[in-house]
Amino acid sequence: MGSQLLSTVERREVLPESYIRPESDRPRLAEVTTDSNVPLIDLASPDKQRVIAEIGLACRTYGFFQVINHGIEGELLEKMMAVGLQFFRLPPEEKEKLYSDEPSKKIRLSTSFNVRKETVHNWRDYLRLHCHPLEEFLPEWPSNPESFKEIVSEYCREVRRLGLRLLGMISLSLGLEEDYIEKALGEQEQHMAVNYYPQCPEPELTYGLPKHTDPNALTVLLQDPNVAGLQVLKDGSRWIAVNPRPNAFVINLGDQLQALSNGAYKSVWHRAVVNAAQERMSVASFLCPCNSAVISPAAGLVRDGDAPVYRSYTYDEYYSKFWSRNLDQEHCLELFRCAQLQLQ
């Protein structure tokens, strides 16, 4: 089964047919623009109220932002990228040990997104790891490369600390108590996807990942510092490139924050594109509600007499629904919209 991995095959000259998107669903790379106003937030600013206001504005208008001076050493980010690339360059027989296309498996190496359901594949391999509680999952992580467990576990601890700090700021930006979101999400799980996008012979015909939103609460994304590939949808109509910045993280709002904010903040539609010149890496860390957490709009964000935008549901219910669909279908949150609002 590991033979399906793109990272085990010599560079191809022609894109296999199973990766070719219909003409109506191609990235149209020439139409992608840049945006000089992409929110960039300096977490070391002494003006905390301004930082919180900037985060709130970014969550309402973009659904994502970048952070700098976040407290995680640049050396650790470099080590994380390096050890991830070393992993994907391991011999095929080594990677075969971890290969699985079962979405519920907590530690697995796979390809595309959900090869059991999708009709067109995506130009991506990925290593999926559960990261919290760390002591529970660490023994099952790859032990090759030799430094993998040490580097990745340190990275996971630091990213979790940053993610919880950001959730507090997002709570405050909504006018809620600082710990409201963290409490509402319960003992949050933490997952990681180490993504590998090989050089692609025909990048205009396929995706690394198609348009989607993240089903979790908050995503902390480390981009390849040398190769662009992340694009986000702005105003529902145009794709903008989010070019990498040195030692910065991209922070994506997930579906659960859109629900908790009663639709005030937006879970960002985004995609990954590939290129013919260079391979690309990224590391996405996902903060997720515990499965039993009941997600519903914060009472303080629902005006008197109004119905909440979304009904209450457990995260387990949401996550199961998300994985039962194709990645680029309609927003999964639409399935949880209150009935009276669906009729409007």
Side-chain angles (χ1 to χ4, degrees), residues 56-84:
L57 181 61
C59 292
R60 283 193 300 273
T61 56
Y62 281 85
F64 83 103
F65 50 92
Q66 295 188 84
V67 294
I68 55 174
N69 296 323
H70 40 66
I72 303 179
E73 293 293 333
E75 182 182 5
L76 179 58
L77 308 188
E78 292 172 8
K79 286 181 177 179
M80 180 65 237
M81 278 294 187
V83 80

Side-chain angles (χ1 to χ4, degrees), residues 261-326:
S261 71
N262 201 37
Y265 288 176
K266 304 303 180 187
S267 177
V268 64
W269 287 98
H270 56 289
R271 66 187 189 182
V273 297
V274 291
N275 70 83
Q278 293 176 282
E279 63 190 356
R280 175 177 174 262
M281 294 275 301
S282 72
V283 181
S285 297
F286 308 102
L287 287 183
C288 311
C290 70
N291 284 337
S292 61
V294 177
I295 307 298
S296 60
L301 302 178
V302 180
R303 290 182 299 184
D304 290 344
D306 287 353
V309 176
Y310 304 105
R311 68 170 176 85
S312 298
Y313 56 85
T314 64
Y315 185 61
D316 186 52
E317 180 186 2
Y318 192 91
Y319 202 63
S320 297
K321 187 73 71 176
F322 180 86
W323 275 100
S324 71
R325 308 158 72 250
N326 288 329

Side-chain angles (χ1 to χ4, degrees), residues 121-175:
H121 298 322
N122 304 297
W123 198 255
R124 173 185 83 136
D125 288 349
Y126 63 99
L127 177 64
R128 186 84 177 194
L129 302 174
H130 278 226
C131 313
H132 185 82
L134 198 54
E135 60 276 7
E136 178 181 336
F137 299 111
L138 185 62
E140 303 302 317
W141 283 8
S143 53
N144 194 3
E146 189 176 341
S147 60
F148 186 91
K149 288 183 178 179
E150 179 184 355
I151 291 170
V152 179
S153 60
E154 182 184 358
Y155 178 84
C156 287
R157 290 188 193 97
E158 292 292 332
V159 165
R160 185 176 184 84
R161 190 176 296 117
L162 172 62
L164 294 176
R165 178 183 170 198
L166 289 168
L167 286 177
M169 293 180 174
I170 292 169
S171 276
L172 291 170
S173 73
L174 284 164

Side-chain angles (χ1 to χ4, degrees), residues 233-251:
L233 190 63
K234 182 71 170 68
D235 302 325
S237 59
R238 62 187 177 98
W239 288 99
I240 60 173
V242 184
N243 294 324
R245 298 183 67 99
N247 296 329
F249 285 107
V250 176
I251 310 299

